[in-house]
Amino acid sequence: MKWKDQFQFVRQNMKKNKTRVFMTILATAMGCAFLIVLASVGFGLHKSLIKEMMEQRIVTGIDVHGKNREDQSFQAITDEDIEYFESIEDVKAVTRRKNLQQASMYKLNDYEGSASTIVAHIPSEIKAGFELSEGRLPQKDYEVIVGYDFEGVLASKAADEANIYDESGKIKEEYRYKGKLLGQKLRLTVKQYEKGKEVKKNIALTIVGVGKKPSKQWMQDSDVYISGAVLKEIEAFTGTPRGVERDPNSGQILGNIDSKSYDQVVVYAKSVDAVKGINEKLKGKKYMTYSVMDELKQVNMFFTIVKIGLILIGTIAILIASIGIYNTMTMAVTERAPDIGIMKAIGANPATVKRIFLLESSYIGMIGAIVGTVVSYAISYGVNFALPLIIEAAFQEQVPDELKFSHIPLSLPLICIIICYIVTILSGLRPAKRATKVDVLRALRREV
């Protein structure tokens, strides 16, 4: 009996019991849709979290906080360490920053505000991906770059200090600086104490570049990037490393800072695959490191367990649907006993009879799986569209645009189809074996 004839025989017999077959396919489709939609929640939240992490931090970056000496004491990162980092294979760039260790007041015309002041190694920053939204890089010692949100910290000197901020903690529109930044003269004010008296110094700077806009609305970049020459002038004035303040009474330096060390050092790999190897080398040299890849590994492990658990729970629905397939195939064997007898009488071997019934059970399962997959995609789309609206209306909470409650990768329907196929074959196996044992004479007499 040819495969074409077997398929035709299966379809003809399925048409004779349309209602029963339809209900069996419906149950299978519901089970598959339940499995896919349930597991898609894990895939959706996993994808959203990974996307959030990757947008906030560069995945190829490794933060180096310092080094553990043999006596277990802490050693800050210096130029010698930077040279070693740059010599490591697959290292793309090594950024290093020094922070001004006192509150920095900036004045621009009739506006003023406080911002963090950073000395950065611009060539390495550019290699690592630092970009400007407008302007150019500094070419002279007293040219600076400001963060994209720098103008947001500048308030009018005429503003009422008691009523300067709005409910969100930002400077009110009527007091905020709204002019251009490029080419503007900026005045940095630093201070020190001499014999208990506060002494201030103003340093004139020129804004030549504005940093790129942060990837998230809630992320603020109001830093000011100055040159090493400006930092040396500040240190010469204060007499302390990085402008750290002295105690007004005793004159002692507040803190223990090495002028040759760096506050922030990040090693950037050429690719994501190289991060692990570089990180292991650094840890082998007793450097204290942190990489977002370490966090991603833990997150991936957690969500892998969650997704496996959800798939197993969804599989229960398919197993319940398999009861219907078993019942349908058992009834089919009973009702088609005369047909089985005729096939065996004209020479059909037991393997052919068995294959026909397994073919029918798998046919039902595959149709159900395909229908369930289509339905699951529709449900997933509906959930992602409607659920944020419901949450916003019910709880007055704004759901982030990048958050996806449900995501169905191609692998998920494939897993569902494979599970469904295995379950349907197992469900039809016993009825198919029973069909091979039907007695020809009794079948022809319509006795089972």
Side-chain angles (χ1 to χ4, degrees):
M1 195 173 185
K2 297 180 180 179
W3 279 99
K4 180 180 179 182
D5 297 328
Q6 294 178 33
F7 273 106
Q8 186 176 0
F9 179 77
V10 168
R11 285 195 296 269
Q12 287 177 350
N13 285 306
M14 289 175 66
K15 289 179 181 179
K16 293 179 182 178
N17 298 285
K18 290 182 180 180
T19 303
R20 187 168 64 209
V21 171
F22 172 77
M23 295 303 294
T24 305
I25 291 175
L26 179 62
T28 306
M30 291 175 63
C32 289
F34 178 77
L35 186 155
I36 294 174
V37 172
L38 184 64
S40 73
V41 175
F43 281 94
L45 295 178
H46 187 194
K47 182 180 180 181
S48 298
L49 183 57
I50 294 300
K51 183 180 178 182
E52 178 81 8
M53 292 172 65
M54 288 187 172
E55 286 181 350
Q56 289 181 32
R57 289 165 285 186
I58 298 178
V59 181
T60 56
I62 303 172
D63 297 324
V64 185
H65 302 292
K67 186 177 182 180
N68 285 318
R69 295 192 181 99
E70 292 183 0
D71 59 358
Q72 301 302 314
S73 61
F74 174 82
Q75 176 185 318
I77 303 300
T78 61
D79 287 327
E80 184 180 348
D81 299 302
I82 298 296
E83 290 179 7
Y84 168 68
F85 299 157
E86 292 178 331
S87 68
I88 299 175
E89 187 179 0
D90 292 326
V91 169
K92 177 182 178 182
V94 181
T95 62
R96 52 273 201 186
R97 296 181 176 185
K98 295 180 179 180
N99 301 328
L100 185 63
Q101 300 296 317
Q102 64 169 268
S104 306
M105 286 300 300
Y106 287 94
K107 295 180 181 180
L108 195 161
N109 299 329
D110 294 327
Y111 294 83
E112 61 183 8
S114 177
S116 298
T117 304
I118 298 172
V119 179
H121 185 252
I122 299 300
S124 63
E125 294 282 347
I126 298 301
K127 281 185 180 180
F130 183 84
E131 297 180 70
L132 300 177
S133 61
E134 56 180 335
R136 60 173 175 82
L137 297 174
Q139 297 174 351
K140 299 179 181 179
D141 289 341
Y142 291 87
E143 293 180 341
V144 298
I145 297 173
V146 298
Y148 185 86
D149 303 296
F150 178 71
E151 63 180 25
V153 304
L154 297 175
S156 173
K157 294 179 182 178
D160 179 8
E161 294 185 5
N163 193 34
I164 191 173
Y165 298 104
D166 59 20
E167 294 179 355
S168 62
K170 296 181 179 180
I171 298 172
K172 292 182 177 179
E173 285 291 331
E174 59 264 34
Y175 302 134
R176 191 181 304 174
Y177 179 79
K178 300 184 179 69
K180 67 175 185 177
L181 291 173
L182 286 182
Q184 294 295 317
K185 297 297 181 179
L186 193 64
R187 189 172 63 187
L188 167 62
T189 301
V190 292
K191 62 183 179 179
Q192 65 151 322
Y193 289 94
E194 290 183 356
K195 297 179 180 180
K197 293 183 179 181
E198 184 180 81
V199 181
K200 295 183 178 180
K201 178 181 179 64
N202 294 321
I203 301 175
L205 306 169
T206 302
I207 300 174
V208 296
V210 179
K212 185 180 179 181
K213 183 179 180 180
S215 58
K216 299 293 181 183
Q217 292 182 354
W218 51 266
M219 296 175 69
Q220 299 290 311
D221 179 14
S222 57
D223 300 334
V224 178
Y225 298 86
I226 63 173
S227 67
V230 175
L231 179 61
K232 287 182 180 179
E233 181 177 342
I234 295 172
E235 289 178 333
F237 168 69
T238 60
T240 59
R242 293 209 274 285
V244 65
E245 296 182 24
R246 296 178 181 272
D247 184 273
N249 299 316
S250 66
Q252 295 293 322
I253 296 176
L254 300 175
N256 182 21
I257 296 176
D258 181 1
S259 60
K260 296 181 179 180
S261 65
Y262 294 94
D263 296 309
Q264 302 172 42
V265 176
V266 183
V267 177
Y268 290 91
K270 292 181 179 179
S271 64
V272 175
D273 296 332
V275 173
K276 182 179 179 181
I278 295 172
N279 200 17
E280 289 178 351
K281 286 183 179 179
L282 294 175
K283 288 182 176 180
K285 294 288 186 177
K286 305 298 182 180
Y287 287 102
M288 294 179 289
T289 66
Y290 168 78
S291 170
V292 70
M293 294 301 293
D294 296 333
E295 193 172 332
L296 281 174
K297 184 178 179 180
Q298 297 175 1
V299 171
N300 287 335
M301 177 62 70
F302 172 77
F303 274 100
T304 297
I305 295 172
V306 170
K307 287 183 283 189
I308 291 173
L310 293 175
I311 289 174
L312 290 176
I313 294 173
T315 302
I316 296 175
I318 297 180
L319 291 174
I320 294 173
S322 69
I323 298 174
I325 297 174
Y326 177 83
N327 180 64
T328 297
M329 297 311 302
T330 301
M331 294 296 294
V333 172
T334 303
E335 294 171 350
R336 297 172 201 166
D339 296 333
I340 296 172
I342 293 173
M343 285 191 294
K344 296 181 75 172
I346 61 178
N349 57 51
T352 301
V353 175
K354 181 179 180 180
R355 185 165 57 246
I356 289 173
F357 283 91
L358 288 177
L359 185 62
E360 183 172 343
S361 65
S362 61
Y363 201 72
I364 293 172
M366 288 301 97
I367 293 175
I370 293 171
V371 173
T373 299
V374 174
V375 171
S376 65
Y377 272 101
I379 294 175
S380 177
Y381 176 81
V383 166
N384 288 328
F385 176 78
L387 202 54
L389 299 178
I390 295 173
I391 292 175
E392 187 175 350
F395 302 101
Q396 286 76 47
E397 292 288 342
Q398 184 70 34
V399 178
D401 295 334
E402 66 276 3
L403 179 61
K404 298 296 181 184
F405 293 95
S406 176
H407 170 66
I408 304 177
L410 181 60
S411 59
L412 187 53
L414 291 177
I415 292 172
C416 178
I417 289 173
I418 292 172
I419 292 174
C420 187
Y421 180 77
I422 293 173
V423 170
T424 51
I425 289 295
L426 294 175
S427 300
L429 192 60
R430 183 174 177 81
K433 286 183 178 180
R434 182 183 174 189
T436 61
K437 297 178 182 179
V438 172
D439 183 80
V440 176
L441 295 178
R442 294 181 63 187
L444 292 176
R445 290 199 302 268
R446 298 183 180 278
E447 297 178 1
V448 181

